């Protein structure tokens, strides 16, 4: 009997090893010419509202390598995410809720200088605190330690409400005590209404001498 097996083609974006060669999606040589497997920056955008983004790095290409000061090893697949600061202040980015050992790095724009990198802030999850100017776009790189990949959550928090009684950016300072609220009208010093009071001076007129003549 002739054993004929049809090997399917690799589909490059379904997180499955379709052709059973041990390589998934962009790691498969069959996907080398596919646009989705060539470096793109950014691949996704993190919207300030609601301030969270979910996805998977499984089968994504390994486009970036975190700084050695951050992690000794990373050849994992990664995702680049753009975030544009709505106001000047401190922003806390984290991967809390992800299901793998993450590495989180940031750059000042695609191909720009590094803004920071973190491997394990809380257990196997990462956190970065960045000071950004209004309108500045940071590129967040969701990566994995060694070859770790999986489902990620990328979160951002900042002191977005200076009157809610909450420490929104988790920096230990609440509302108007946070420097991020310095320009908020709600945190302006109260107007005491004290002005400069003028002093009125009463002038003395000439009474003229008494006429004593005849």
């Amino acid at each position: 009997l002739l054993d004929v097996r049809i090997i399917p083609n690799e589909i490059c974006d379904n997180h499955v090893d379709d052709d059973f060669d041990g390589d998934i999606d962009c790691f498969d040589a069959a996907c080398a010419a596919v646009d989705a497997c060539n470096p793109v920056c950014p691949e996704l955008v993190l919207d300030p509202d609601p301030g969270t983004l979910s996805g998977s790095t499984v089968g994504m290409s390994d486009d970036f390598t975190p700084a050695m000061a951050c992690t000794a090893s990373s050849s994992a697949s990664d995702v680049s995410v753009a975030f544009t600061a709505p106001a000047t202040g401190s922003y806390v980015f984290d991967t809390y809720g992800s299901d793998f050992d993450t590495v989180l790095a940031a750059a000042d724009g695609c191909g720009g200088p590094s803004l920071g990198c973190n491997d394990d802030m809380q257990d196997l999850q990462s956190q970065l605190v960045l000071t950004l100017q209004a309108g500045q776009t940071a590129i967040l790189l969701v990566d994995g330690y060694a070859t770790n990949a999986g489902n990620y959550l990328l979160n951002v928090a900042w002191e977005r409400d200076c009157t809610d009684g909450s420490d929104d950016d988790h920096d230990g300072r609440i509302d108007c005590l946070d420097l991020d609220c310095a320009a908020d009208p709600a945190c302006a010093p109260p107007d005491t209404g004290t002005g400069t009071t003028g002093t009125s001076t009463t002038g003395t007129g000439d009474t003229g001498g008494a006429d004593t003549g005849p």
Side-chain angles (χ1 to χ4, degrees):
L1 293 178
L2 180 63
D3 184 8
V4 177
R5 298 182 183 181
I6 299 176
I7 305 298
N9 293 324
E10 181 72 15
I11 299 173
C12 301
D13 61 357
N14 65 349
H15 303 168
V16 175
D17 181 16
D18 303 288
D19 56 6
F20 310 108
D21 66 352
D23 296 320
I24 297 175
D25 293 355
C26 293
F27 288 104
D28 195 307
C31 295
V34 175
D35 289 342
C37 294
N38 290 296
V40 175
C41 180
E43 295 164 289
L44 298 169
V45 174
L46 173 59
D47 195 322
D49 189 11
T52 188
L53 179 70
S54 62
S56 175
T57 62
V58 175
M60 301 297 287
S61 56
D62 179 22
D63 298 328
F64 305 96
T65 301
M68 289 296 291
C70 177
T71 178
S73 172
S74 179
S75 57
S77 51
D78 49 51
V79 175
S80 59
V81 181
F83 175 82
T84 301
T88 297
S90 295
Y91 292 82
V92 182
F93 300 91
D94 66 63
T95 59
Y96 300 158
S98 303
D99 65 6
F100 66 105
D101 188 351
T102 64
V103 174
L104 182 61
D108 187 11
C110 290
S114 173
L115 296 176
C117 184
N118 178 258
D119 185 6
D120 298 329
M121 174 60 73
Q122 180 175 299
D123 296 326
L124 299 178
Q125 308 300 291
S126 313
Q127 177 182 289
L128 277 176
V129 179
L130 304 178
T131 299
L132 302 175
Q133 301 299 311
Q136 181 179 358
T137 297
I139 301 299
L140 287 304
L141 307 173
V142 181
D143 211 326
Y145 176 78
T147 58
N148 279 268
N151 300 310
Y152 66 84
L153 280 178
L154 178 61
N155 312 294
V156 61
W158 74 97
E159 201 69 27
R160 65 174 73 197
D161 187 341
C162 298
T163 62
D164 63 356
S166 298
D167 181 16
D168 302 302
D169 58 1
H170 315 297
D171 66 353
R173 296 184 292 271
I174 296 174
D175 293 351
C176 294
L177 297 178
D178 195 310
L179 295 178
D180 295 340
C181 292
D184 193 297
C187 298
D191 184 0
T192 62
T194 302
T196 301
T197 304
T199 302
S200 176
T201 302
T202 302
T204 302
D206 184 1
T207 60
D211 188 359
T212 59

